[in-house]
Amino acid sequence: MDLGLFLEYGWVLLVLVALEGLLAADNALVLAIMVKHLPDEERKKALFYGLAGAFVFRFGSLFIISYLVDIWQVQAIGALYLLFIALNHIFRKLIFRKTVTEEANESGTQAVVKKKSSFWFTVLKVEVADIAFAVDSILAAVALAVALPASGLPNIGGLDGGQFLVIFAGGFIGLVIMRFAASFFVKLLHSRPGLELAAFFIVGWVGIKLTVITLAHPSLGVLSESFAHSTWWKLTFYVVLVLIATLGWFLSSTVVEEHAEENPIKEVDKQLGK
């Protein structure tokens, strides 16, 4: 692998690690809330079972998708899914959550009593959530990696060895972040809330990249295959990606009031046993 190819692979891996970190922080906070009602020991076990299941699912699904990634219908479904989750999250963040907050302020603070789930039902919910997170992660990683040039390494599954390793490394690092570095990224999102929106704008932009790859598929030919792999398009993609991340950073408020009873950083630390 020559230096230029190594740098291109390394850049994609860095982008994946940053994106995985932001998404994993959001995911870790969701999981922390899901297991919050359990006793300490059961809480740790539920998270361990959930993360173990997520690892097995990610590794297995990566092999499956490696054989399907060249099918344009699969690419199209993946692109639509990435665009859907990005738009859905952005819509809920900007519009739906604001509406709910206003309604809550108008109706006062009434306590809502919910029946708490049992241990194994909580584990099941954690597993389902982890699978949903894994799908998002793998599709985003695939969309970034399939445009990489061949590495010359032997194929793993149905993918070039280099592409497969980049996708696998991104997914594995995402799990590590979710378990060990989640509080750092939650703290980052708490102090720079615009980064969460930026992360999902990036997911949507990756969905557009996968759409371009789909439209350039030889079976469709809507776009030329050379365009999807051209230096100009790759440069445009990464410039826009960096611009989104930069805007997310600088347009975020750095002063966020912390409430002792509702501190997401302490919440994640507590649930992960730190």
Side-chain angles (χ1 to χ4, degrees), residues 69-77 79-80 209-226 228:
V69 71
D70 286 331
I71 301 174
W72 74 264
Q73 290 91 339
V74 175
Q75 293 176 350
I77 292 171
L80 289 173
K209 180 182 179 68
L210 189 53
T211 301
V212 169
I213 293 173
T214 304
L215 295 176
H217 194 281
S219 299
L220 292 178
V222 177
L223 296 174
S224 67
E225 194 171 358
S226 60

mmCIF file with all atom_site columns, all heavy atoms in Angstrom, residues 69-77 79-80 209-226 228:
data_model
loop_
_atom_site.group_PDB
_atom_site.id
_atom_site.type_symbol
_atom_site.label_atom_id
_atom_site.label_alt_id
_atom_site.label_comp_id
_atom_site.label_asym_id
_atom_site.label_entity_id
_atom_site.label_seq_id
_atom_site.pdbx_PDB_ins_code
_atom_site.Cartn_x
_atom_site.Cartn_y
_atom_site.Cartn_z
_atom_site.occupancy
_atom_site.B_iso_or_equiv
_atom_site.pdbx_formal_charge
_atom_site.auth_seq_id
_atom_site.auth_comp_id
_atom_site.auth_asym_id
_atom_site.auth_atom_id
_atom_site.pdbx_PDB_model_num
ATOM 1   N N   . VAL A 1 69  ? -23.068 -5.531 -0.686  1.00 0.00 ? 69  VAL A N   1
ATOM 2   C CA  . VAL A 1 69  ? -22.807 -4.106 -0.859  1.00 0.00 ? 69  VAL A CA  1
ATOM 3   C C   . VAL A 1 69  ? -22.764 -3.678 -2.322  1.00 0.00 ? 69  VAL A C   1
ATOM 4   O O   . VAL A 1 69  ? -23.021 -2.515 -2.637  1.00 0.00 ? 69  VAL A O   1
ATOM 5   C CB  . VAL A 1 69  ? -21.494 -3.720 -0.133  1.00 0.00 ? 69  VAL A CB  1
ATOM 6   C CG1 . VAL A 1 69  ? -20.282 -4.278 -0.867  1.00 0.00 ? 69  VAL A CG1 1
ATOM 7   C CG2 . VAL A 1 69  ? -21.380 -2.219 0.039   1.00 0.00 ? 69  VAL A CG2 1
ATOM 8   N N   . ASP A 1 70  ? -22.467 -4.588 -3.243  1.00 0.00 ? 70  ASP A N   1
ATOM 9   C CA  . ASP A 1 70  ? -22.398 -4.219 -4.659  1.00 0.00 ? 70  ASP A CA  1
ATOM 10  C C   . ASP A 1 70  ? -23.755 -4.287 -5.362  1.00 0.00 ? 70  ASP A C   1
ATOM 11  O O   . ASP A 1 70  ? -23.853 -3.973 -6.550  1.00 0.00 ? 70  ASP A O   1
ATOM 12  C CB  . ASP A 1 70  ? -21.407 -5.126 -5.399  1.00 0.00 ? 70  ASP A CB  1
ATOM 13  C CG  . ASP A 1 70  ? -19.965 -4.764 -5.063  1.00 0.00 ? 70  ASP A CG  1
ATOM 14  O OD1 . ASP A 1 70  ? -19.718 -3.575 -4.769  1.00 0.00 ? 70  ASP A OD1 1
ATOM 15  O OD2 . ASP A 1 70  ? -19.101 -5.655 -5.069  1.00 0.00 ? 70  ASP A OD2 1
ATOM 16  N N   . ILE A 1 71  ? -24.797 -4.715 -4.649  1.00 0.00 ? 71  ILE A N   1
ATOM 17  C CA  . ILE A 1 71  ? -26.144 -4.769 -5.227  1.00 0.00 ? 71  ILE A CA  1
ATOM 18  C C   . ILE A 1 71  ? -26.785 -3.389 -5.094  1.00 0.00 ? 71  ILE A C   1
ATOM 19  O O   . ILE A 1 71  ? -26.913 -2.864 -3.977  1.00 0.00 ? 71  ILE A O   1
ATOM 20  C CB  . ILE A 1 71  ? -27.004 -5.833 -4.512  1.00 0.00 ? 71  ILE A CB  1
ATOM 21  C CG1 . ILE A 1 71  ? -26.335 -7.207 -4.638  1.00 0.00 ? 71  ILE A CG1 1
ATOM 22  C CG2 . ILE A 1 71  ? -28.414 -5.867 -5.080  1.00 0.00 ? 71  ILE A CG2 1
ATOM 23  C CD1 . ILE A 1 71  ? -27.030 -8.297 -3.835  1.00 0.00 ? 71  ILE A CD1 1
ATOM 24  N N   . TRP A 1 72  ? -27.180 -2.798 -6.225  1.00 0.00 ? 72  TRP A N   1
ATOM 25  C CA  . TRP A 1 72  ? -27.624 -1.400 -6.169  1.00 0.00 ? 72  TRP A CA  1
ATOM 26  C C   . TRP A 1 72  ? -28.887 -1.230 -5.331  1.00 0.00 ? 72  TRP A C   1
ATOM 27  O O   . TRP A 1 72  ? -29.065 -0.180 -4.690  1.00 0.00 ? 72  TRP A O   1
ATOM 28  C CB  . TRP A 1 72  ? -27.824 -0.842 -7.582  1.00 0.00 ? 72  TRP A CB  1
ATOM 29  C CG  . TRP A 1 72  ? -29.038 -1.329 -8.322  1.00 0.00 ? 72  TRP A CG  1
ATOM 30  C CD1 . TRP A 1 72  ? -29.120 -2.345 -9.222  1.00 0.00 ? 72  TRP A CD1 1
ATOM 31  C CD2 . TRP A 1 72  ? -30.362 -0.775 -8.235  1.00 0.00 ? 72  TRP A CD2 1
ATOM 32  N NE1 . TRP A 1 72  ? -30.395 -2.487 -9.692  1.00 0.00 ? 72  TRP A NE1 1
ATOM 33  C CE2 . TRP A 1 72  ? -31.185 -1.524 -9.103  1.00 0.00 ? 72  TRP A CE2 1
ATOM 34  C CE3 . TRP A 1 72  ? -30.926 0.274  -7.508  1.00 0.00 ? 72  TRP A CE3 1
ATOM 35  C CZ2 . TRP A 1 72  ? -32.540 -1.267 -9.262  1.00 0.00 ? 72  TRP A CZ2 1
ATOM 36  C CZ3 . TRP A 1 72  ? -32.286 0.534  -7.656  1.00 0.00 ? 72  TRP A CZ3 1
ATOM 37  C CH2 . TRP A 1 72  ? -33.075 -0.221 -8.527  1.00 0.00 ? 72  TRP A CH2 1
ATOM 38  N N   . GLN A 1 73  ? -29.753 -2.253 -5.299  1.00 0.00 ? 73  GLN A N   1
ATOM 39  C CA  . GLN A 1 73  ? -30.958 -2.137 -4.470  1.00 0.00 ? 73  GLN A CA  1
ATOM 40  C C   . GLN A 1 73  ? -30.599 -2.021 -2.986  1.00 0.00 ? 73  GLN A C   1
ATOM 41  O O   . GLN A 1 73  ? -31.230 -1.258 -2.234  1.00 0.00 ? 73  GLN A O   1
ATOM 42  C CB  . GLN A 1 73  ? -31.876 -3.354 -4.681  1.00 0.00 ? 73  GLN A CB  1
ATOM 43  C CG  . GLN A 1 73  ? -32.535 -3.409 -6.037  1.00 0.00 ? 73  GLN A CG  1
ATOM 44  C CD  . GLN A 1 73  ? -31.716 -4.187 -7.063  1.00 0.00 ? 73  GLN A CD  1
ATOM 45  O OE1 . GLN A 1 73  ? -30.505 -4.361 -6.898  1.00 0.00 ? 73  GLN A OE1 1
ATOM 46  N NE2 . GLN A 1 73  ? -32.363 -4.664 -8.117  1.00 0.00 ? 73  GLN A NE2 1
ATOM 47  N N   . VAL A 1 74  ? -29.572 -2.772 -2.561  1.00 0.00 ? 74  VAL A N   1
ATOM 48  C CA  . VAL A 1 74  ? -29.108 -2.700 -1.167  1.00 0.00 ? 74  VAL A CA  1
ATOM 49  C C   . VAL A 1 74  ? -28.493 -1.329 -0.892  1.00 0.00 ? 74  VAL A C   1
ATOM 50  O O   . VAL A 1 74  ? -28.732 -0.719 0.154   1.00 0.00 ? 74  VAL A O   1
ATOM 51  C CB  . VAL A 1 74  ? -28.088 -3.823 -0.879  1.00 0.00 ? 74  VAL A CB  1
ATOM 52  C CG1 . VAL A 1 74  ? -27.505 -3.680 0.526   1.00 0.00 ? 74  VAL A CG1 1
ATOM 53  C CG2 . VAL A 1 74  ? -28.743 -5.188 -1.042  1.00 0.00 ? 74  VAL A CG2 1
ATOM 54  N N   . GLN A 1 75  ? -27.715 -0.836 -1.843  1.00 0.00 ? 75  GLN A N   1
ATOM 55  C CA  . GLN A 1 75  ? -27.137 0.505  -1.705  1.00 0.00 ? 75  GLN A CA  1
ATOM 56  C C   . GLN A 1 75  ? -28.229 1.563  -1.585  1.00 0.00 ? 75  GLN A C   1
ATOM 57  O O   . GLN A 1 75  ? -28.135 2.482  -0.765  1.00 0.00 ? 75  GLN A O   1
ATOM 58  C CB  . GLN A 1 75  ? -26.245 0.810  -2.909  1.00 0.00 ? 75  GLN A CB  1
ATOM 59  C CG  . GLN A 1 75  ? -24.995 -0.051 -3.001  1.00 0.00 ? 75  GLN A CG  1
ATOM 60  C CD  . GLN A 1 75  ? -24.197 0.233  -4.258  1.00 0.00 ? 75  GLN A CD  1
ATOM 61  O OE1 . GLN A 1 75  ? -24.654 0.935  -5.159  1.00 0.00 ? 75  GLN A OE1 1
ATOM 62  N NE2 . GLN A 1 75  ? -22.988 -0.321 -4.335  1.00 0.00 ? 75  GLN A NE2 1
ATOM 63  N N   . ALA A 1 76  ? -29.279 1.426  -2.396  1.00 0.00 ? 76  ALA A N   1
ATOM 64  C CA  . ALA A 1 76  ? -30.376 2.396  -2.382  1.00 0.00 ? 76  ALA A CA  1
ATOM 65  C C   . ALA A 1 76  ? -31.110 2.380  -1.039  1.00 0.00 ? 76  ALA A C   1
ATOM 66  O O   . ALA A 1 76  ? -31.419 3.439  -0.473  1.00 0.00 ? 76  ALA A O   1
ATOM 67  C CB  . ALA A 1 76  ? -31.353 2.107  -3.518  1.00 0.00 ? 76  ALA A CB  1
ATOM 68  N N   . ILE A 1 77  ? -31.369 1.175  -0.524  1.00 0.00 ? 77  ILE A N   1
ATOM 69  C CA  . ILE A 1 77  ? -32.042 1.055  0.778   1.00 0.00 ? 77  ILE A CA  1
ATOM 70  C C   . ILE A 1 77  ? -31.178 1.676  1.874   1.00 0.00 ? 77  ILE A C   1
ATOM 71  O O   . ILE A 1 77  ? -31.669 2.399  2.749   1.00 0.00 ? 77  ILE A O   1
ATOM 72  C CB  . ILE A 1 77  ? -32.346 -0.418 1.103   1.00 0.00 ? 77  ILE A CB  1
ATOM 73  C CG1 . ILE A 1 77  ? -33.416 -0.952 0.138   1.00 0.00 ? 77  ILE A CG1 1
ATOM 74  C CG2 . ILE A 1 77  ? -32.807 -0.581 2.542   1.00 0.00 ? 77  ILE A CG2 1
ATOM 75  C CD1 . ILE A 1 77  ? -33.644 -2.446 0.235   1.00 0.00 ? 77  ILE A CD1 1
ATOM 76  N N   . ALA A 1 79  ? -28.904 4.039  1.523   1.00 0.00 ? 79  ALA A N   1
ATOM 77  C CA  . ALA A 1 79  ? -28.898 5.498  1.360   1.00 0.00 ? 79  ALA A CA  1
ATOM 78  C C   . ALA A 1 79  ? -30.175 6.116  1.912   1.00 0.00 ? 79  ALA A C   1
ATOM 79  O O   . ALA A 1 79  ? -30.139 7.117  2.640   1.00 0.00 ? 79  ALA A O   1
ATOM 80  C CB  . ALA A 1 79  ? -28.729 5.850  -0.118  1.00 0.00 ? 79  ALA A CB  1
ATOM 81  N N   . LEU A 1 80  ? -31.320 5.515  1.585   1.00 0.00 ? 80  LEU A N   1
ATOM 82  C CA  . LEU A 1 80  ? -32.603 6.027  2.079   1.00 0.00 ? 80  LEU A CA  1
ATOM 83  C C   . LEU A 1 80  ? -32.686 5.945  3.597   1.00 0.00 ? 80  LEU A C   1
ATOM 84  O O   . LEU A 1 80  ? -33.209 6.857  4.254   1.00 0.00 ? 80  LEU A O   1
ATOM 85  C CB  . LEU A 1 80  ? -33.760 5.251  1.445   1.00 0.00 ? 80  LEU A CB  1
ATOM 86  C CG  . LEU A 1 80  ? -34.012 5.510  -0.050  1.00 0.00 ? 80  LEU A CG  1
ATOM 87  C CD1 . LEU A 1 80  ? -35.063 4.552  -0.585  1.00 0.00 ? 80  LEU A CD1 1
ATOM 88  C CD2 . LEU A 1 80  ? -34.453 6.955  -0.273  1.00 0.00 ? 80  LEU A CD2 1
ATOM 89  N N   . LYS A 1 209 ? -23.768 10.616 -0.190  1.00 0.00 ? 209 LYS A N   1
ATOM 90  C CA  . LYS A 1 209 ? -22.617 9.963  -0.829  1.00 0.00 ? 209 LYS A CA  1
ATOM 91  C C   . LYS A 1 209 ? -23.001 8.565  -1.318  1.00 0.00 ? 209 LYS A C   1
ATOM 92  O O   . LYS A 1 209 ? -22.651 8.162  -2.432  1.00 0.00 ? 209 LYS A O   1
ATOM 93  C CB  . LYS A 1 209 ? -21.460 9.869  0.170   1.00 0.00 ? 209 LYS A CB  1
ATOM 94  C CG  . LYS A 1 209 ? -20.200 9.207  -0.394  1.00 0.00 ? 209 LYS A CG  1
ATOM 95  C CD  . LYS A 1 209 ? -19.126 9.104  0.684   1.00 0.00 ? 209 LYS A CD  1
ATOM 96  C CE  . LYS A 1 209 ? -17.880 8.429  0.163   1.00 0.00 ? 209 LYS A CE  1
ATOM 97  N NZ  . LYS A 1 209 ? -17.167 9.234  -0.832  1.00 0.00 ? 209 LYS A NZ  1
ATOM 98  N N   . LEU A 1 210 ? -23.732 7.822  -0.467  1.00 0.00 ? 210 LEU A N   1
ATOM 99  C CA  . LEU A 1 210 ? -24.157 6.478  -0.860  1.00 0.00 ? 210 LEU A CA  1
ATOM 100 C C   . LEU A 1 210 ? -25.173 6.550  -1.997  1.00 0.00 ? 210 LEU A C   1
ATOM 101 O O   . LEU A 1 210 ? -25.215 5.665  -2.862  1.00 0.00 ? 210 LEU A O   1
ATOM 102 C CB  . LEU A 1 210 ? -24.754 5.741  0.347   1.00 0.00 ? 210 LEU A CB  1
ATOM 103 C CG  . LEU A 1 210 ? -25.041 4.244  0.158   1.00 0.00 ? 210 LEU A CG  1
ATOM 104 C CD1 . LEU A 1 210 ? -23.808 3.512  -0.355  1.00 0.00 ? 210 LEU A CD1 1
ATOM 105 C CD2 . LEU A 1 210 ? -25.527 3.622  1.461   1.00 0.00 ? 210 LEU A CD2 1
ATOM 106 N N   . THR A 1 211 ? -25.971 7.613  -2.030  1.00 0.00 ? 211 THR A N   1
ATOM 107 C CA  . THR A 1 211 ? -26.909 7.822  -3.143  1.00 0.00 ? 211 THR A CA  1
ATOM 108 C C   . THR A 1 211 ? -26.160 8.017  -4.452  1.00 0.00 ? 211 THR A C   1
ATOM 109 O O   . THR A 1 211 ? -26.537 7.456  -5.498  1.00 0.00 ? 211 THR A O   1
ATOM 110 C CB  . THR A 1 211 ? -27.803 9.053  -2.872  1.00 0.00 ? 211 THR A CB  1
ATOM 111 O OG1 . THR A 1 211 ? -28.525 8.863  -1.656  1.00 0.00 ? 211 THR A OG1 1
ATOM 112 C CG2 . THR A 1 211 ? -28.784 9.277  -4.017  1.00 0.00 ? 211 THR A CG2 1
ATOM 113 N N   . VAL A 1 212 ? -25.080 8.801  -4.413  1.00 0.00 ? 212 VAL A N   1
ATOM 114 C CA  . VAL A 1 212 ? -24.253 9.018  -5.607  1.00 0.00 ? 212 VAL A CA  1
ATOM 115 C C   . VAL A 1 212 ? -23.656 7.701  -6.088  1.00 0.00 ? 212 VAL A C   1
ATOM 116 O O   . VAL A 1 212 ? -23.659 7.395  -7.290  1.00 0.00 ? 212 VAL A O   1
ATOM 117 C CB  . VAL A 1 212 ? -23.134 10.044 -5.305  1.00 0.00 ? 212 VAL A CB  1
ATOM 118 C CG1 . VAL A 1 212 ? -22.112 10.087 -6.445  1.00 0.00 ? 212 VAL A CG1 1
ATOM 119 C CG2 . VAL A 1 212 ? -23.737 11.425 -5.093  1.00 0.00 ? 212 VAL A CG2 1
ATOM 120 N N   . ILE A 1 213 ? -23.159 6.884  -5.137  1.00 0.00 ? 213 ILE A N   1
ATOM 121 C CA  . ILE A 1 213 ? -22.594 5.579  -5.491  1.00 0.00 ? 213 ILE A CA  1
ATOM 122 C C   . ILE A 1 213 ? -23.660 4.694  -6.127  1.00 0.00 ? 213 ILE A C   1
ATOM 123 O O   . ILE A 1 213 ? -23.405 3.977  -7.101  1.00 0.00 ? 213 ILE A O   1
ATOM 124 C CB  . ILE A 1 213 ? -21.991 4.907  -4.239  1.00 0.00 ? 213 ILE A CB  1
ATOM 125 C CG1 . ILE A 1 213 ? -20.772 5.693  -3.764  1.00 0.00 ? 213 ILE A CG1 1
ATOM 126 C CG2 . ILE A 1 213 ? -21.607 3.457  -4.532  1.00 0.00 ? 213 ILE A CG2 1
ATOM 127 C CD1 . ILE A 1 213 ? -20.203 5.217  -2.438  1.00 0.00 ? 213 ILE A CD1 1
ATOM 128 N N   . THR A 1 214 ? -24.879 4.754  -5.582  1.00 0.00 ? 214 THR A N   1
ATOM 129 C CA  . THR A 1 214 ? -25.983 3.961  -6.128  1.00 0.00 ? 214 THR A CA  1
ATOM 130 C C   . THR A 1 214 ? -26.319 4.394  -7.543  1.00 0.00 ? 214 THR A C   1
ATOM 131 O O   . THR A 1 214 ? -26.470 3.555  -8.448  1.00 0.00 ? 214 THR A O   1
ATOM 132 C CB  . THR A 1 214 ? -27.235 4.103  -5.243  1.00 0.00 ? 214 THR A CB  1
ATOM 133 O OG1 . THR A 1 214 ? -26.917 3.729  -3.903  1.00 0.00 ? 214 THR A OG1 1
ATOM 134 C CG2 . THR A 1 214 ? -28.370 3.219  -5.763  1.00 0.00 ? 214 THR A CG2 1
ATOM 135 N N   . LEU A 1 215 ? -26.448 5.701  -7.758  1.00 0.00 ? 215 LEU A N   1
ATOM 136 C CA  . LEU A 1 215 ? -26.810 6.214  -9.082  1.00 0.00 ? 215 LEU A CA  1
ATOM 137 C C   . LEU A 1 215 ? -25.710 5.966  -10.116 1.00 0.00 ? 215 LEU A C   1
ATOM 138 O O   . LEU A 1 215 ? -25.978 5.948  -11.321 1.00 0.00 ? 215 LEU A O   1
ATOM 139 C CB  . LEU A 1 215 ? -27.120 7.712  -8.992  1.00 0.00 ? 215 LEU A CB  1
ATOM 140 C CG  . LEU A 1 215 ? -28.342 8.093  -8.151  1.00 0.00 ? 215 LEU A CG  1
ATOM 141 C CD1 . LEU A 1 215 ? -28.482 9.609  -8.070  1.00 0.00 ? 215 LEU A CD1 1
ATOM 142 C CD2 . LEU A 1 215 ? -29.610 7.475  -8.728  1.00 0.00 ? 215 LEU A CD2 1
ATOM 143 N N   . ALA A 1 216 ? -24.467 5.773  -9.623  1.00 0.00 ? 216 ALA A N   1
ATOM 144 C CA  . ALA A 1 216 ? -23.351 5.500  -10.538 1.00 0.00 ? 216 ALA A CA  1
ATOM 145 C C   . ALA A 1 216 ? -23.140 4.004  -10.752 1.00 0.00 ? 216 ALA A C   1
ATOM 146 O O   . ALA A 1 216 ? -22.208 3.611  -11.453 1.00 0.00 ? 216 ALA A O   1
ATOM 147 C CB  . ALA A 1 216 ? -22.072 6.135  -9.999  1.00 0.00 ? 216 ALA A CB  1
ATOM 148 N N   . HIS A 1 217 ? -23.994 3.184  -10.145 1.00 0.00 ? 217 HIS A N   1
ATOM 149 C CA  . HIS A 1 217 ? -23.873 1.724  -10.314 1.00 0.00 ? 217 HIS A CA  1
ATOM 150 C C   . HIS A 1 217 ? -24.053 1.369  -11.786 1.00 0.00 ? 217 HIS A C   1
ATOM 151 O O   . HIS A 1 217 ? -24.926 1.925  -12.464 1.00 0.00 ? 217 HIS A O   1
ATOM 152 C CB  . HIS A 1 217 ? -24.933 1.015  -9.463  1.00 0.00 ? 217 HIS A CB  1
ATOM 153 C CG  . HIS A 1 217 ? -24.701 -0.444 -9.305  1.00 0.00 ? 217 HIS A CG  1
ATOM 154 N ND1 . HIS A 1 217 ? -25.014 -1.371 -10.291 1.00 0.00 ? 217 HIS A ND1 1
ATOM 155 C CD2 . HIS A 1 217 ? -24.173 -1.165 -8.277  1.00 0.00 ? 217 HIS A CD2 1
ATOM 156 C CE1 . HIS A 1 217 ? -24.708 -2.577 -9.866  1.00 0.00 ? 217 HIS A CE1 1
ATOM 157 N NE2 . HIS A 1 217 ? -24.189 -2.490 -8.649  1.00 0.00 ? 217 HIS A NE2 1
ATOM 158 N N   . PRO A 1 218 ? -23.234 0.453  -12.318 1.00 0.00 ? 218 PRO A N   1
ATOM 159 C CA  . PRO A 1 218 ? -23.333 0.085  -13.741 1.00 0.00 ? 218 PRO A CA  1
ATOM 160 C C   . PRO A 1 218 ? -24.730 -0.353 -14.183 1.00 0.00 ? 218 PRO A C   1
ATOM 161 O O   . PRO A 1 218 ? -25.112 -0.135 -15.336 1.00 0.00 ? 218 PRO A O   1
ATOM 162 C CB  . PRO A 1 218 ? -22.340 -1.079 -13.865 1.00 0.00 ? 218 PRO A CB  1
ATOM 163 C CG  . PRO A 1 218 ? -21.350 -0.849 -12.769 1.00 0.00 ? 218 PRO A CG  1
ATOM 164 C CD  . PRO A 1 218 ? -22.127 -0.241 -11.644 1.00 0.00 ? 218 PRO A CD  1
ATOM 165 N N   . SER A 1 219 ? -25.503 -0.924 -13.277 1.00 0.00 ? 219 SER A N   1
ATOM 166 C CA  . SER A 1 219 ? -26.853 -1.375 -13.638 1.00 0.00 ? 219 SER A CA  1
ATOM 167 C C   . SER A 1 219 ? -27.824 -0.218 -13.828 1.00 0.00 ? 219 SER A C   1
ATOM 168 O O   . SER A 1 219 ? -28.863 -0.378 -14.474 1.00 0.00 ? 219 SER A O   1
ATOM 169 C CB  . SER A 1 219 ? -27.399 -2.318 -12.559 1.00 0.00 ? 219 SER A CB  1
ATOM 170 O OG  . SER A 1 219 ? -26.582 -3.460 -12.437 1.00 0.00 ? 219 SER A OG  1
ATOM 171 N N   . LEU A 1 220 ? -27.512 0.946  -13.245 1.00 0.00 ? 220 LEU A N   1
ATOM 172 C CA  . LEU A 1 220 ? -28.371 2.115  -13.388 1.00 0.00 ? 220 LEU A CA  1
ATOM 173 C C   . LEU A 1 220 ? -27.774 3.123  -14.367 1.00 0.00 ? 220 LEU A C   1
ATOM 174 O O   . LEU A 1 220 ? -28.437 3.558  -15.306 1.00 0.00 ? 220 LEU A O   1
ATOM 175 C CB  . LEU A 1 220 ? -28.591 2.780  -12.020 1.00 0.00 ? 220 LEU A CB  1
ATOM 176 C CG  . LEU A 1 220 ? -29.410 1.998  -10.986 1.00 0.00 ? 220 LEU A CG  1
ATOM 177 C CD1 . LEU A 1 220 ? -29.490 2.769  -9.682  1.00 0.00 ? 220 LEU A CD1 1
ATOM 178 C CD2 . LEU A 1 220 ? -30.815 1.709  -11.519 1.00 0.00 ? 220 LEU A CD2 1
ATOM 179 N N   . GLY A 1 221 ? -26.555 3.516  -14.104 1.00 0.00 ? 221 GLY A N   1
ATOM 180 C CA  . GLY A 1 221 ? -25.864 4.421  -15.021 1.00 0.00 ? 221 GLY A CA  1
ATOM 181 C C   . GLY A 1 221 ? -26.435 5.830  -15.075 1.00 0.00 ? 221 GLY A C   1
ATOM 182 O O   . GLY A 1 221 ? -26.252 6.541  -16.068 1.00 0.00 ? 221 GLY A O   1
ATOM 183 N N   . VAL A 1 222 ? -27.147 6.247  -14.023 1.00 0.00 ? 222 VAL A N   1
ATOM 184 C CA  . VAL A 1 222 ? -27.675 7.613  -13.988 1.00 0.00 ? 222 VAL A CA  1
ATOM 185 C C   . VAL A 1 222 ? -26.520 8.614  -13.925 1.00 0.00 ? 222 VAL A C   1
ATOM 186 O O   . VAL A 1 222 ? -26.552 9.667  -14.562 1.00 0.00 ? 222 VAL A O   1
ATOM 187 C CB  . VAL A 1 222 ? -28.629 7.797  -12.786 1.00 0.00 ? 222 VAL A CB  1
ATOM 188 C CG1 . VAL A 1 222 ? -29.113 9.236  -12.699 1.00 0.00 ? 222 VAL A CG1 1
ATOM 189 C CG2 . VAL A 1 222 ? -29.805 6.831  -12.889 1.00 0.00 ? 222 VAL A CG2 1
ATOM 190 N N   . LEU A 1 223 ? -25.519 8.294  -13.124 1.00 0.00 ? 223 LEU A N   1
ATOM 191 C CA  . LEU A 1 223 ? -24.291 9.077  -13.065 1.00 0.00 ? 223 LEU A CA  1
ATOM 192 C C   . LEU A 1 223 ? -23.142 8.207  -13.572 1.00 0.00 ? 223 LEU A C   1
ATOM 193 O O   . LEU A 1 223 ? -23.213 6.972  -13.517 1.00 0.00 ? 223 LEU A O   1
ATOM 194 C CB  . LEU A 1 223 ? -23.993 9.526  -11.633 1.00 0.00 ? 223 LEU A CB  1
ATOM 195 C CG  . LEU A 1 223 ? -25.000 10.482 -10.971 1.00 0.00 ? 223 LEU A CG  1
ATOM 196 C CD1 . LEU A 1 223 ? -24.620 10.700 -9.506  1.00 0.00 ? 223 LEU A CD1 1
ATOM 197 C CD2 . LEU A 1 223 ? -25.051 11.810 -11.707 1.00 0.00 ? 223 LEU A CD2 1
ATOM 198 N N   . SER A 1 224 ? -22.098 8.836  -14.035 1.00 0.00 ? 224 SER A N   1
ATOM 199 C CA  . SER A 1 224 ? -20.954 8.054  -14.509 1.00 0.00 ? 224 SER A CA  1
ATOM 200 C C   . SER A 1 224 ? -20.199 7.473  -13.318 1.00 0.00 ? 224 SER A C   1
ATOM 201 O O   . SER A 1 224 ? -20.080 8.112  -12.265 1.00 0.00 ? 224 SER A O   1
ATOM 202 C CB  . SER A 1 224 ? -20.016 8.933  -15.342 1.00 0.00 ? 224 SER A CB  1
ATOM 203 O OG  . SER A 1 224 ? -19.409 9.916  -14.529 1.00 0.00 ? 224 SER A OG  1
ATOM 204 N N   . GLU A 1 225 ? -19.704 6.255  -13.480 1.00 0.00 ? 225 GLU A N   1
ATOM 205 C CA  . GLU A 1 225 ? -18.976 5.597  -12.394 1.00 0.00 ? 225 GLU A CA  1
ATOM 206 C C   . GLU A 1 225 ? -17.702 6.355  -12.057 1.00 0.00 ? 225 GLU A C   1
ATOM 207 O O   . GLU A 1 225 ? -17.275 6.394  -10.906 1.00 0.00 ? 225 GLU A O   1
ATOM 208 C CB  . GLU A 1 225 ? -18.647 4.157  -12.799 1.00 0.00 ? 225 GLU A CB  1
ATOM 209 C CG  . GLU A 1 225 ? -18.210 3.285  -11.651 1.00 0.00 ? 225 GLU A CG  1
ATOM 210 C CD  . GLU A 1 225 ? -18.109 1.827  -12.044 1.00 0.00 ? 225 GLU A CD  1
ATOM 211 O OE1 . GLU A 1 225 ? -18.410 1.487  -13.202 1.00 0.00 ? 225 GLU A OE1 1
ATOM 212 O OE2 . GLU A 1 225 ? -17.710 1.018  -11.174 1.00 0.00 ? 225 GLU A OE2 1
ATOM 213 N N   . SER A 1 226 ? -17.110 6.986  -13.065 1.00 0.00 ? 226 SER A N   1
ATOM 214 C CA  . SER A 1 226 ? -15.876 7.747  -12.835 1.00 0.00 ? 226 SER A CA  1
ATOM 215 C C   . SER A 1 226 ? -16.134 8.957  -11.932 1.00 0.00 ? 226 SER A C   1
ATOM 216 O O   . SER A 1 226 ? -15.270 9.342  -11.138 1.00 0.00 ? 226 SER A O   1
ATOM 217 C CB  . SER A 1 226 ? -15.290 8.211  -14.171 1.00 0.00 ? 226 SER A CB  1
ATOM 218 O OG  . SER A 1 226 ? -16.211 9.041  -14.863 1.00 0.00 ? 226 SER A OG  1
ATOM 219 N N   . ALA A 1 228 ? -18.354 9.154  -9.400  1.00 0.00 ? 228 ALA A N   1
ATOM 220 C CA  . ALA A 1 228 ? -18.497 8.710  -8.014  1.00 0.00 ? 228 ALA A CA  1
ATOM 221 C C   . ALA A 1 228 ? -17.149 8.439  -7.354  1.00 0.00 ? 228 ALA A C   1
ATOM 222 O O   . ALA A 1 228 ? -17.027 8.518  -6.124  1.00 0.00 ? 228 ALA A O   1
ATOM 223 C CB  . ALA A 1 228 ? -19.365 7.454  -7.954  1.00 0.00 ? 228 ALA A CB  1
#
